[in-house]
Amino acid sequence: MAENTVDLGYEGPYCIVDTQVKRDVSVVVPELNGHQGDNQRVLKLAIKDGEYPHNLDGEYLALVGKDANGVPKASVKTQSVIKASAGYIEFTVPGSFYQATGEYPIAYFELRRNGSDQVISTINVRFDVMESGIIMTTGQSDIYNDYVDTHMSYYIKKIDSLFSQILSQTQDSAKAAQIAQNTANALTAAINTNALAGKSQDNTFTGHNTFHGLTTIDNLNGPALNAIYDYTNRKVGDVSALISSITAKLGNVLRTDSDWTRDYTLGGCLSRANNGNDFALSKYHIMQNVNLILGRGDVKVDNDQDFNESQIYLPWVVDNADVAIAQMYHFEGYALPRLDIDSKKLNISLKGKRHEIERLSLVIIAFDR
């Protein structure tokens, strides 16, 4: 947390937040201060670039920090741009930010580009959570992050599109089968009406004949009727084949490739915790050629240095063109993952001076190789 603070005042009802303040300076936003148990606090902010309004077109705001207990918090969802060209925005802070009492040692706003992870600007802020004046139980401070959806929105849209295509194919084929069946029924009725009124003799009709009223036939046969049956059976077979194809597609798109496994090797300053909650990995196939690798559990950090290097040798090949996100839950530290080229090796840079067991979380979005 930056030691120096600056109060930029207000522009009407909007508290001014400047993107050009120095990185060792924190902006004071009085409305961020709250009591333990507060929820949905609304901040009226005026985002500026020095003396000029910051245009918010195509951008969104995120609030990120670690509370007094060192628990990470991040939120982007509840916000409303009041006037983009003037930089006016209303940002609602979730109750998870007001669980632990004390000053936030690290807190900052991030301006991000819509539909991507690009960070345009980072603005340090300072605020405190005060003890509640009433008797209540808030429970322990929990990790909170509501903008994983930002990273995953592209893949979710692709899955939605695939299901829409499959549904459209199914509906079109069902309509074709119904039309074929209706045609068969109509032609059968037409053939049935061609019977000549001759009770005890064989009859052959070569002209155009019209019958009015009900006609009952015990047995009907002929090349035209057989052709109709063949056509209908082919269409029904096509629908069955399509349904089988759809089932195969769904099985290939959404599946679990590997349930939780500890088939990996740790290197550098990392070793297994051996406490019953060792770090474990799982792999899911979420769409064509795209996989989601998740990791969570305890590891031991064996190093006295402030900055440590470590490795995890995965059971699967990944590439530095994939997306990797990691989090090590300790005070004023970080875990930065780096992928090699077409390798099972995942490098992780760590900050923290200790011999302790820590909780590690990992998310990798990888393509088939």
Side-chain angles (χ1 to χ4, degrees):
M1 185 69 180
E3 295 181 358
N4 301 319
T5 60
V6 61
D7 187 345
L8 300 177
Y10 288 79
E11 187 170 272
Y14 296 92
C15 183
I16 297 175
V17 177
D18 190 355
T19 64
Q20 296 182 0
V21 296
K22 297 180 180 180
R23 61 183 178 182
D24 61 345
V25 175
S26 294
V27 176
V28 175
V29 181
E31 287 78 3
L32 263 174
N33 296 316
H35 287 83
Q36 189 178 31
D38 284 358
N39 189 22
Q40 303 297 308
R41 294 183 65 87
V42 178
L43 313 180
K44 292 181 179 289
L45 305 175
I47 312 299
K48 289 185 172 293
D49 299 326
E51 298 179 359
Y52 302 99
H54 179 90
N55 195 325
L56 292 169
D57 281 333
E59 300 173 8
Y60 65 95
L61 192 67
L63 177 60
V64 182
K66 284 188 177 180
D67 66 14
N69 290 348
V71 178
K73 311 286 183 178
S75 179
V76 301
K77 286 189 175 179
T78 51
Q79 58 182 277
S80 176
V81 175
I82 305 303
K83 187 175 182 181
S85 61
Y88 292 159
I89 187 171
E90 286 189 355
F91 190 95
T92 304
V93 186
S96 294
F97 278 79
Y98 298 98
Q99 291 179 317
T101 59
E103 179 183 349
Y104 267 69
I106 300 174
Y108 52 89
F109 283 121
E110 284 183 345
L111 279 171
R112 289 175 168 261
R113 187 77 62 192
N114 284 341
S116 74
D117 296 333
Q118 180 185 357
V119 177
I120 301 168
S121 182
T122 300
I123 310 155
N124 292 323
V125 293
R126 184 212 179 278
F127 69 99
D128 298 283
V129 178
M130 295 167 283
E131 185 175 355
S132 176
I134 61 174
I135 299 175
M136 61 181 297
T137 301
T138 60
Q140 67 179 7
S141 182
D142 298 320
I143 298 169
Y144 183 82
N145 188 334
D146 69 6
Y147 69 102
V148 172
D149 290 343
T150 302
H151 302 290
M152 296 299 295
S153 61
Y154 168 78
Y155 304 103
I156 293 172
K157 289 178 182 178
K158 292 289 288 184
I159 293 172
D160 287 343
S161 175
L162 176 62
F163 274 107
S164 297
Q165 293 175 13
I166 292 173
L167 180 59
S168 177
Q169 292 175 6
T170 304
Q171 292 173 340
D172 290 345
S173 298
K175 290 178 181 178
Q178 185 61 51
I179 292 172
Q181 187 63 57
N182 292 342
T183 302
N185 293 339
L187 291 176
T188 301
I191 292 174
N192 288 343
T193 59
N194 285 338
L196 184 64
K199 286 187 177 182
S200 58
Q201 61 183 8
D202 296 334
N203 300 280
T204 301
F205 301 93
T206 57
H208 298 281
N209 302 277
T210 301
F211 299 88
H212 297 285
L214 177 65
T215 301
T216 301
I217 301 176
D218 293 334
N219 189 12
L220 186 63
N221 191 19
L225 187 60
N226 292 336
I228 294 170
Y229 289 152
D230 290 343
Y231 176 79
T232 302
N233 289 335
R234 286 197 303 272
K235 287 299 181 181
V236 172
D238 290 344
V239 172
S240 297
L242 178 61
I243 293 174
S244 298
S245 174
I246 292 171
T247 303
K249 286 182 179 179
L250 290 175
N252 185 51
V253 170
L254 300 174
R255 68 173 186 265
T256 302
D257 282 355
S258 177
D259 209 345
W260 291 106
T261 177
R262 293 188 171 94
D263 181 20
Y264 59 83
T265 302
L266 298 176
C269 66
L270 292 183
S271 62
R272 294 186 184 249
N274 294 323
N275 64 352
N277 190 37
D278 281 5
F279 183 76
L281 293 162
S282 186
K283 181 182 178 186
Y284 304 92
H285 190 77
I286 62 174
M287 62 176 294
Q288 185 175 3
N289 300 326
V290 179
N291 302 286
L292 181 64
I293 298 173
L294 300 177
R296 183 173 174 84
D298 293 340
V299 294
K300 187 176 181 182
V301 180
D302 296 311
N303 204 309
D304 289 327
Q305 305 301 319
D306 286 335
F307 299 94
N308 305 308
E309 293 295 329
S310 62
Q311 300 84 37
I312 300 178
Y313 295 89
L314 306 169
W316 312 286
V317 174
V318 293
D319 186 73
N320 62 0
D322 297 332
V323 178
I325 306 168
Q327 176 67 54
M328 181 79 78
Y329 302 116
H330 58 267
F331 185 68
E332 292 188 346
Y334 62 76
L336 177 64
R338 305 188 312 279
L339 298 169
D340 280 357
I341 299 175
D342 283 338
S343 170
K344 294 183 178 181
K345 182 180 179 182
L346 172 68
N347 300 293
I348 302 181
S349 298
L350 304 175
K351 179 181 182 298
K353 187 176 180 180
R354 64 206 177 285
H355 287 275
E356 298 178 6
I357 292 176
E358 302 288 354
R359 181 67 49 81
L360 175 65
S361 292
L362 174 67
V363 177
I364 300 177
I365 301 172
F367 292 85
D368 287 343
R369 289 181 176 81

